[in-house]
Amino acid sequence: MAEPGRHSRHAAARRRSRVWPLLLSLVLVAIAVAGGLALHRSSQAGDRVAGPATSTPTVDQAARAAAVDAVLKRRAQAVLTGNEQAFVADVDAGDKRLVARQRTLFTNLRQFGFAKLAYQQLAQQYDDTIAQKYGPSTYLVAVAMTYQIRAIDLVPVRAMLGYTFTQRANGAWVLVSDSDLDKRLPRGSHQEAWDFGPILVKREPRVLVVVEQGQEALADKLAAMSGSAVQAVSKNWPGGWNGSGVVIALDDKIVRGADYTQPKNAEDALAMATWVYRTLPGEVTGEGQRTDSYVVVNPHNRAKVDARTLAHEFTHVATAPYGPYAPRWMVEGAATYVEFLPMDGQKPLAITQYRLDVRTKYLAKAKSLPTDDTFFARADSSYPLSWLALDYLFTRFGGVEVGTLYRELAALGSSQQERDRIMLEHVGMTEAGLFRALKAAAAA
């Protein structure tokens, strides 16, 4: 049998810098306008604080909104029906590069098989430099993309991008840029798998894999591993899981907010689970309402990804809808616990020996469970200790109770007082009490 300690050293290393990228950032605020979101004006010197009447004095705002809505509706319908000419009909024909990028975007989008797709205007932005480039009718607007990938997304989800429109002499509004607003958008916006170069999408039951165009062998390999991992999480997570696994393995180093240009991420991380939102942060709740996660593979370490890696990440996918407040030791401990369980096609791990090793090497020196603030800074010990905590909870209380505990901590554990209350209610001990129980079990 393989020794999980060896596996876990890779796991600890790859997750040292794992983050779950948030769409919430300082540029998002809730306001009482249609769409519910607005972007703060950039603080750059070139920007001007001005109302719509000052920036575009000759524009009928209601007519503009209706015209742009019609453009957005035509583009969404074009994707759903496979009409490429309709998709680019409202794109500035004089910008050959933009038209080419939009054709690539259309081809990419078509491969996902959307059951639903719509674009919604959120709030206008102002930038003098961009207005000078495109003329006085320039309309820079944040846009919400609502979509549902057939047989993948259980409910419609939302992402964000930005468009720049101008009005032609004939009154038509045309798209002249889809990137002017990118630097002001929340992290992960306009960085979806379809937003880059030509891609290949491979589907299997409950699995969708995205790779660069021409990488069929990689797609086949990831799809097979993903299928095994999906079945493992469905079988082993309390209450089961009927979701799907999306794996994005592109050459791009920044996708959906997973940033593999950062040295630690580039070196250590194998993959990251990136949140998918039913409502964007700031629309209904400050954190946004999560519904799922998509997994983004590190292009530097692509060859090291295996089915156990994906089982870990898909456990994050399964638990993403619960909420943002579970302690990090619970989040990562649960994912590592599932990762280490027996799995079809994978060599069994020496769990008994690993448990002893963790107690001797890490628990003996620890003063508490890993804290949220220091978890990744001390990843070499944080992951094994978190696995030990979940191993203890599953063994003593069973999967149903652990699953319920996780759900309540994730939904309600926004403070230490709430965490302690929930822990006492379900397992009769606080986090500090759990640590003492781990110590006592090791000494027995």
Side-chain angles (χ1 to χ4, degrees), residues 88-330:
V88 299
D90 297 297
V91 178
D92 178 13
D95 189 337
K96 303 303 182 184
R97 290 184 178 181
L98 177 62
V99 173
R101 290 199 305 271
Q102 289 293 306
R103 290 189 185 279
T104 297
L105 173 61
F106 173 84
T107 301
N108 288 348
L109 289 169
R110 282 290 296 168
Q111 293 185 67
F112 283 84
F114 293 107
K116 296 180 180 179
L117 177 64
Y119 297 97
Q120 173 193 0
Q121 297 181 68
L122 296 181
Q124 182 179 5
Q125 296 297 290
Y126 308 100
D127 189 307
D128 284 346
T129 301
I130 296 173
Q132 290 170 14
K133 179 178 180 181
Y134 295 113
S137 67
T138 299
Y139 180 48
L140 182 63
V141 62
V143 174
M145 175 183 178
T146 301
Y147 67 89
Q148 185 174 13
I149 303 173
R150 185 175 290 104
I152 297 295
D153 297 313
L154 298 179
V155 298
V157 298
R158 283 164 78 80
M160 201 177 226
L161 60 153
Y163 283 154
T164 306
F165 294 94
T166 60
Q167 189 175 31
R168 295 298 190 230
N170 64 0
W173 287 88
V174 297
L175 178 69
V176 293
S177 175
D178 63 353
S179 60
D180 290 333
L181 194 54
D182 283 359
K183 291 183 178 179
R184 300 191 199 177
L185 295 173
R187 184 181 179 186
S189 301
H190 203 208
Q191 295 173 353
E192 299 293 340
W194 47 76
D195 287 322
F196 302 97
I199 59 172
L200 168 67
V201 176
K202 183 176 181 61
R203 277 180 174 269
E204 297 290 350
R206 297 180 62 190
V207 168
L208 187 145
V209 172
V210 186
V211 298
E212 302 289 339
Q213 189 177 87
Q215 294 186 344
E216 288 84 359
L218 176 61
D220 291 342
K221 178 182 176 182
L222 288 172
M225 293 190 299
S226 297
S228 297
V230 163
Q231 293 304 317
V233 178
S234 297
K235 175 183 176 182
N236 293 313
W237 187 247
W241 172 57
N242 63 351
S244 300
V246 175
V247 178
I248 302 168
L250 299 175
D251 294 341
D252 297 272
K253 298 177 178 63
I254 302 178
V255 180
R256 303 203 82 252
D259 187 353
Y260 294 118
T261 65
Q262 298 180 17
K264 284 294 184 182
N265 284 354
E267 176 185 354
D268 297 336
L270 292 191
M272 297 183 186
T274 60
W275 290 331
V276 179
Y277 288 86
R278 181 161 53 90
T279 63
L280 292 168
E283 286 186 306
V284 177
T285 67
E287 299 83 10
Q289 295 174 306
R290 304 178 201 169
T291 182
D292 212 331
S293 292
Y294 298 162
V295 176
V296 180
V297 174
N298 182 354
H300 298 286
N301 295 328
R302 191 178 291 156
K304 299 177 182 178
V305 171
D306 59 15
R308 289 193 182 277
T309 303
L310 295 176
H312 181 109
E313 300 303 333
F314 291 163
T315 304
H316 289 319
V317 174
T319 56
Y322 298 171
Y325 300 123
R328 183 59 58 183
W329 63 262
M330 170 68 81

Side-chain angles (χ1 to χ4, degrees), residues 405 419-431:
L405 174 65
R419 289 181 177 182
D420 287 344
R421 178 189 64 78
I422 294 166
M423 290 280 294
L424 284 169
E425 178 182 340
H426 288 281
V427 296
M429 64 184 86
T430 63
E431 289 179 280

Side-chain angles (χ1 to χ4, degrees), residues 14 86 89-90 166 202 267 289 307 321 327 347 355 363 393-394:
R14 74 169 181 258
D90 297 297
T166 60
K202 183 176 181 61
E267 176 185 354
Q289 295 174 306
K347 196 172 183 178
R355 186 182 297 113
L363 182 63
L393 290 173
F394 270 97

